[in-house]
Amino acid sequence: MADKEATVYIVDVGSSMRKKHNERDESDLDWAMHYVWDKITSTANTSNELEEEQNYEHITVLQPISQILMDELRNLRSAIRPSGTDAGDAISALVIAIQMINKYCKKLKYRRTVVLVTNGRGSMDAGGIEEITKKIKEDDIRLVVLGVDFDDPEFGFKEEDKDPLKAQNEAILRSLAEGCDGIFGTLEQAISELGLPRIKAVKPIASYKGLLTLGAEGQDTTMSIDVERYPRTMVAKAPSASAFVVRSDLANGESSAQSSATVVGDGEVRGGVGNANGLTSVKSARTYQVIDDEAPGGKRDVERDDLAKGYEYGRTAVHISESDENVTKLETEPQLSIIGFIPWAKYERYMNMSTSNVIVAQRVNDKAIMALSSLVHALFELESYAVARLVTKENKGPLIVLLAPSIEPAYECLIEVQLPFAEDVRQYKFPPLDRVVTVSGKVLKEHRNLPNSQLTKAMSDYVDEMDLSTVIREEDGPGEYMTMEDTFSPVLHRIDQVVRWRAVHPTEPIPPPYEILTKYSRPPVELEERARPALKDLIAAAEVKKVPPKQKGRKRNRDQVKPLSGLNVDELLGREKRTRISPENAVPEYKQMLATTEDLGAIQDLSKQMSEVIISQIKHSLGDSNYGRAVEGLRVMREELTAFEEPGVYNEFMRDMKTKIFAGELNGERKDMWYEIRRNRLGLIDQKLSPLSDVSEEMARSFLTQR
């Protein structure tokens, strides 16, 4: 776990904070609240433990030190308003913040921080500032002072024509921050850094503690070192969303409209606007069934305890009883033993199969530290890796791992990655890229599938122009463009940004992603401009041509496929040309006849025949026996007329059929057929499916739902 933190935010909400400065579109308070959304003091009211003393008037503690949940966050949002006075003293508020931290943290180990946000235009009493500085140092509290339009030479900001009172207060706060080794800066810098993702510090947990051995077990000559194994890299996964539903025990009209909430207790949800307990978590249930002809529905529910485990062997299941299941397990003991060594030059990087871990010596064990250091230096000097067998827990499957030496100024360790077994390796053979080998074994260096010298040179020049190592120039040569410290996961931090924004702003539009998250999603602009001439040469050498976009539904203007001989296959086979669709084979014949015509009249006539077949199938259906054939006919008719860009023919037929179904004109009650049409989504062809349709998406949706 990371160290515990206790932070108090002091925000000046005096009357001067309602004003706008430096051509900003929002007040100083609204601008400051982009940075702060936690705990607030300094309002026109008085509510604190020292409120009886005159120096501590106009200071209110709106939120004590605790974890901020949704209810508190929404309450703070509604409570943060500029007051009607500037009488609140930021120095006095700092004293209350120190008292709050000491009362909450006591003598426990906490990272204690006080953040003061003000525009410096209110009154301040600098008396006793030396005692406050001494107290902050004694309690190991980190003070951060952020001022609205405060001068900061390092950031490059200086306010012109500064108010004398603000300049005096700014000097007081600067001396206070510097006196207790705190941080003093302008709020503009703090807000500009909000776009930098927050990296969560994770305390590593050892996955193995034991011996690293070299040699036969139990021998006097065996080398044994007490070591510990910690993760070096691990995939950071984005938070997953949970499913919630409106509670069923609410009265009518009482359902919650909140957009976020806090889970408390056993799946209950707290927080948000409206009903505090309007949501509840979704609970899953799983049932097991077996085939039983005597049970209702042909299946019978069974308990999970009545099930037995089995392994698939071909198409059969091989049952292994619980008593015999230990036979399938390999009995192992925790160990990390070296089984051999390999030179650096003979190891391929693609053999890495996992994230990396570090092997370090046991803490406060000088003998182990010295022994592991000797092994690390020996591997480094011999330019070799160690191959070891690793079992992290009892009866856990063994792994083959690679141990690589790592020597840093601060520490020495072994980097460990998993190696594949024989079953893990996949062997694939691909043809060479620089030559073509014919069936007879002849090697061709020039072929239509091989690039010529001009194309090869053009591609090489383009790659050179797009070299990222030339973007950053430093005094001692090219610099690194994409440093690991500045490359963040866009998915992980975008979700975090959206969740935090929606928690504070329930109804406002979601802001765009931070610039740092999209910076490396495209090449640098200056690199693209520099490589543009090389790209043009590459396009010309490769004879790249723009492919026209694929047109949907252009069957009518397609090219007829003709045999190379030029003969008419239908005439040779003696096929007679059909003009009518038979009800017994309606769908194939409808598709075949459409494939041989481009005439609009013929398309409409064939579609009319198909619609008559479908109506006949519904009308003479015994129950729902013919509904499946009718649905298939509708599906084919809908697809074909969409492809032929004749949506009006299908839509007209559907409207007429719906009228007949609900009017009872198809030999009785046929509303079950309409249910099948709705279930298969065979309604009108809308403009999304075919631009030539005069039916909107809303009209098509309404057509299916209305009766």
Side-chain angles (χ1 to χ4, degrees):
M1 295 178 58
D3 295 336
K4 293 185 289 186
E5 298 183 33
T7 305
V8 175
Y9 287 84
I10 305 172
V11 177
D12 183 0
V13 291
S15 60
S16 59
M17 292 287 286
R18 73 172 68 246
K19 299 179 181 179
K20 302 177 182 179
H21 297 91
N22 284 341
E23 300 180 354
R24 286 188 292 269
D25 296 332
E26 51 190 348
S27 65
D28 291 351
L29 180 59
D30 293 336
W31 190 52
M33 290 313 298
H34 287 295
Y35 178 80
V36 178
W37 265 116
D38 280 302
K39 306 166 234 351
I40 297 178
T41 60
S42 182
T43 67
N45 297 322
T46 302
S47 177
N48 60 78
E49 296 183 359
L50 303 177
E51 62 184 39
E52 296 180 358
E53 301 183 25
Q54 183 177 0
N55 292 338
Y56 299 97
E57 294 179 347
H58 308 293
I59 298 176
T60 299
V61 178
L62 294 182
Q63 172 65 38
I65 298 178
S66 64
Q67 182 183 6
I68 297 294
L69 301 179
M70 189 59 60
D71 287 339
E72 289 82 0
L73 193 60
R74 297 284 169 81
N75 291 337
L76 290 178
R77 179 175 173 80
S78 60
I80 297 173
R81 295 289 185 273
S83 63
T85 178
D86 283 325
D89 184 10
I91 304 298
S92 301
L94 182 60
V95 175
I96 296 177
I98 296 172
Q99 183 186 32
M100 291 173 62
I101 288 183
N102 290 336
K103 182 178 179 180
Y104 181 81
C105 300
K106 300 181 175 62
K107 299 297 182 180
L108 302 177
K109 186 179 179 180
Y110 276 85
R111 286 193 292 177
R112 312 170 187 213
T113 306
V114 176
V115 180
L116 172 61
V117 179
T118 179
N119 61 359
R121 298 179 182 272
S123 59
M124 291 187 188
D125 184 5
I129 199 170
E130 294 81 7
E131 289 77 7
I132 295 175
T133 303
K134 182 179 178 181
K135 181 64 175 174
I136 291 176
K137 286 185 174 182
E138 289 178 355
D139 296 339
D140 193 20
I141 297 176
R142 187 173 69 106
L143 176 63
V144 179
V145 178
L146 299 175
V148 178
D149 299 330
F150 278 14
D151 296 341
D152 191 342
E154 295 183 1
F155 182 68
F157 180 83
K158 180 176 177 62
E159 186 182 21
E160 301 296 336
D161 301 327
K162 189 184 295 289
D163 181 79
L165 177 60
K166 181 179 180 179
Q168 178 184 350
N169 292 337
E170 189 174 330
I172 294 173
L173 294 176
R174 183 185 294 273
S175 63
L176 173 62
E178 294 175 352
C180 58
D181 301 326
I183 299 175
F184 180 89
T186 181
L187 188 63
E188 183 174 354
Q189 180 180 3
I191 292 179
S192 65
E193 294 177 354
L194 288 179
L196 293 177
R198 306 173 184 178
I199 304 300
K200 182 180 179 181
V202 180
K203 186 176 181 180
I205 300 176
S207 56
Y208 173 79
K209 290 184 179 181
L211 294 176
L212 169 62
T213 61
L214 174 61
E217 185 177 355
Q219 299 293 329
D220 296 337
T221 57
T222 301
M223 180 192 73
S224 300
I225 307 174
D226 291 304
V227 295
E228 298 176 355
R229 178 178 183 255
Y230 294 93
R232 178 67 174 265
T233 60
M234 188 171 292
V235 177
K237 297 181 179 179
S240 58
S242 301
F244 296 94
V245 296
V246 179
R247 288 178 51 177
S248 59
D249 56 349
L250 298 178
N252 292 334
E254 199 176 314
S255 60
S256 172
Q258 62 206 37
S259 61
S260 51
T262 303
V263 179
V264 294
D266 185 17
E268 293 302 323
V269 179
R270 179 162 66 92
V273 183
N275 185 12
N277 290 318
L279 299 179
T280 185
S281 61
V282 178
K283 297 182 180 180
S284 302
R286 178 176 295 180
T287 59
Y288 300 88
Q289 295 179 328
V290 295
I291 297 176
D292 187 351
D293 296 335
E294 298 180 357
K299 294 183 179 180
R300 174 169 54 89
D301 293 344
V302 295
E303 297 294 334
R304 189 179 186 277
D305 297 337
D306 298 335
L307 302 178
K309 291 185 178 180
Y311 293 85
E312 289 187 3
Y313 186 74
R315 293 187 176 182
T316 61
V318 178
H319 166 59
I320 295 181
S321 63
E322 189 174 350
S323 59
D324 294 336
E325 193 174 356
N326 292 330
V327 178
T328 64
K329 294 182 179 179
L330 182 65
E331 296 182 0
T332 57
E333 297 291 336
Q335 70 170 159
L336 177 58
S337 56
I338 297 176
I339 58 178
F341 301 91
I342 182 175
W344 292 357
K346 293 187 177 181
Y347 180 76
E348 301 292 345
R349 284 295 184 95
Y350 65 79
M351 303 291 282
N352 294 359
M353 277 191 61
S354 67
T355 57
S356 59
N357 299 277
V358 292
I359 306 295
V360 296
Q362 188 182 55
R363 298 182 183 181
V364 299
N365 188 336
D366 295 337
K367 181 180 178 181
I369 293 174
M370 183 64 68
L372 185 66
S373 176
S374 301
L375 176 61
V376 170
H377 280 269
L379 291 173
F380 184 80
E381 292 172 5
L382 296 175
E383 297 185 351
S384 298
Y385 298 133
V387 180
R389 180 179 187 267
L390 172 64
V391 180
T392 57
K393 294 181 181 180
E394 184 178 0
N395 294 332
K396 191 172 183 180
L399 303 174
I400 302 298
V401 297
L402 185 81
L403 304 179
S406 176
I407 301 176
E408 301 290 342
Y411 65 93
E412 299 169 350
C413 67
L414 292 171
I415 305 296
E416 174 246 292
V417 292
Q418 182 181 345
L419 295 178
F421 289 105
E423 297 80 6
D424 301 322
V425 179
R426 302 291 186 268
Q427 296 287 355
Y428 300 101
K429 291 185 178 180
F430 299 97
L433 299 177
D434 59 344
R435 61 189 183 278
V436 173
V437 181
T438 63
V439 178
S440 61
K442 185 179 180 181
V443 178
L444 302 178
K445 292 291 186 178
E446 294 183 1
H447 190 270
R448 59 185 179 86
N449 292 335
L450 295 177
N452 54 34
S453 57
Q454 181 184 2
L455 178 58
T456 303
K457 183 179 183 305
M459 176 58 75
S460 178
D461 294 342
Y462 179 65
V463 172
D464 292 339
E465 292 296 332
M466 291 293 290
D467 187 359
L468 289 174
S469 63
T470 61
V471 177
I472 306 297
R473 289 290 182 181
E474 297 180 351
E475 296 180 357
D476 54 348
E480 186 176 1
Y481 173 66
M482 293 179 61
T483 60
M484 184 66 69
E485 295 76 13
D486 295 334
T487 308
F488 303 97
S489 169
V491 174
L492 191 151
H493 294 291
R494 174 57 175 168
I495 294 178
D496 179 69
Q497 175 196 5
V498 170
V499 171
R500 287 189 287 108
W501 176 270
R502 180 57 72 226
V504 181
H505 309 87
T507 58
E508 297 182 17
I510 299 296
Y514 295 134
E515 176 64 25
I516 191 65
L517 299 181
T518 58
K519 179 179 179 181
Y520 301 119
S521 63
R522 56 188 181 276
V525 177
E526 59 271 21
L527 205 62
E528 288 184 308
E529 292 296 329
R530 189 179 70 189
R532 197 176 299 279
L535 179 59
K536 291 182 178 179
D537 295 340
L538 176 61
I539 293 174
E543 298 181 355
V544 178
K545 297 180 177 60
K546 186 176 181 180
V547 178
K550 185 177 180 181
Q551 299 290 335
K552 293 183 64 177
R554 292 295 180 185
K555 281 193 173 184
R556 195 183 310 161
N557 298 326
R558 70 194 182 284
D559 294 331
Q560 295 289 339
V561 179
K562 297 181 180 179
L564 296 176
S565 62
L567 300 176
N568 191 323
V569 178
D570 290 336
E571 291 181 359
L572 290 175
L573 296 177
R575 294 176 181 172
E576 75 176 284
K577 196 170 182 180
R578 294 179 177 271
T579 58
R580 298 292 302 175
I581 298 176
S582 63
E584 293 77 13
N585 197 30
V587 170
E589 291 182 5
Y590 177 65
K591 297 178 70 173
Q592 291 173 4
M593 293 182 184
L594 285 179
T596 59
T597 184
E598 296 180 3
D599 182 63
L600 176 60
I603 294 173
Q604 293 177 345
D605 180 63
L606 291 172
S607 299
K608 182 179 179 182
Q609 294 181 44
M610 189 65 187
S611 63
E612 292 175 352
V613 171
I614 295 173
I615 291 294
S616 177
Q617 289 173 343
I618 299 174
K619 188 174 182 180
H620 298 93
S621 175
L622 183 60
D624 59 355
S625 59
N626 286 344
Y627 288 176
R629 297 175 62 189
V631 167
E632 178 63 16
L634 283 172
R635 184 188 64 79
V636 172
M637 188 176 176
R638 190 173 191 262
E639 292 177 355
E640 293 295 324
L641 290 176
T642 301
F644 276 97
E645 297 182 338
E646 293 296 336
V649 177
Y650 177 82
N651 291 342
E652 183 180 355
F653 165 62
M654 283 299 299
R655 293 189 181 98
D656 180 62
M657 185 178 66
K658 180 181 179 181
T659 303
K660 292 180 179 179
I661 289 176
F662 286 97
E665 298 178 6
L666 299 181
N667 197 14
E669 181 69 33
R670 298 295 181 182
K671 292 183 179 179
D672 288 344
M673 179 60 198
W674 186 251
Y675 170 77
E676 293 295 328
I677 293 174
R678 292 182 58 192
R679 188 169 66 87
N680 290 275
R681 298 180 180 179
L682 298 175
L684 301 179
I685 300 175
D686 56 24
Q687 295 171 346
K688 182 179 180 181
L689 193 61
S690 174
L692 298 179
S693 175
D694 58 354
V695 178
S696 65
E697 293 184 49
E698 183 62 31
M699 293 169 61
R701 194 180 303 113
S702 176
F703 176 79
L704 279 178
T705 55
Q706 290 180 354
R707 297 184 180 180

